[in-house]
Structure formats: C-alpha cells, structure tokens
Amino acid sequence: LYGSPVLQLLRETTIRQVWQTWHSGGYVGRHTTSEMFTLLQPLEHAKKLRELPLLLVYSCRDTLAPPWHAAEIQAVRQANTDLVMCRRPSHVMLSLLPAVGDAVARWLLGQLLE
C-alpha cells in the first residue's frame, strides 16, 4: 500500500478492507457488471456512436468490468476508440491512480487539439 493514492481512506476503514477492495473492487450489487453489460446493451449503443471519440479505461485485474468488455466495444466500433489498460488495480482503485488520471487528461487534451 506504500505510495497508494488511497492511504487517506485508512481514517475510515481498515487495512484489510483496503486490501480486499484493491483485489476485488469491493462492490456488491443486484446485478454483476457483466449482467449490466448485457442489460444496458452498450455494444448496440457503441455502434450508433461510432463517429464520436471514445476512451476506454480498464484494468487487467478488474472483476467488475473485465477487459473483454473493452475488447468487445473496440471490435464493434472498429475505429475512433482508444484504450488505457492497466495491469494491477481493481475497479475501485483504477480511477484513483495518478497515472490513469494523467492518461485521461492527455487523451482529453488531444481531443481538444484535433
């Protein structure tokens, strides 16, 4: 956990909970994300919006939104889709990493300059 951007969470949680969240995402809901992926039909919507630029941010270890979701969206869109793939964080921790924020900021800047 050394250097983690979420150390301030230790005021509200335990090290064990942070560790579990890092590895599992810590989310429990009515539907799994894979079920939501099916219910919301993002592939159909992605086809309709092919002309709009899209940035996908995924983690190889994300159990809530697994990398195959990104692969399917990229395959449907065929172009105008960029992907940031991280190796280690879980779903929850992904958006808290400075490297991910930097990648998103660079992508947004690139879109503004085009």
Side-chain angles (χ1 to χ4, degrees), residues 6-105:
V6 295
L7 285 179
Q8 68 274 13
L9 292 177
L10 291 177
R11 285 182 247 145
E12 302 172 19
T13 188
T14 67
I15 290 176
R16 180 173 185 233
Q17 289 169 321
V18 171
W19 181 258
Q20 287 173 331
T21 299
W22 178 265
H23 288 285
S24 70
Y27 170 78
V28 178
R30 184 176 186 191
H31 298 285
T32 67
T33 304
S34 292
E35 290 169 343
M36 292 299 293
F37 194 75
T38 301
L39 291 170
L40 296 173
Q41 301 177 331
L43 299 178
E44 292 304 313
H45 298 294
K47 285 180 198 176
K48 295 174 187 173
L49 301 172
R50 284 184 189 167
E51 69 280 356
L52 296 176
L54 177 66
L55 175 65
L56 302 170
V57 181
Y58 278 79
S59 172
C60 294
R61 292 179 56 176
D62 194 336
T63 58
L64 296 175
W68 62 265
H69 288 175
E72 287 189 1
I73 291 171
Q74 281 185 301
V76 169
R77 288 181 53 95
Q78 299 173 354
N80 217 9
T81 305
D82 295 303
L83 173 65
V84 172
M85 182 66 71
C86 299
R87 289 183 43 221
R88 298 192 55 165
S90 68
H91 186 79
V92 171
M93 298 301 170
L94 185 62
S95 63
L96 299 175
L97 296 176
V100 171
D102 291 345
V104 171

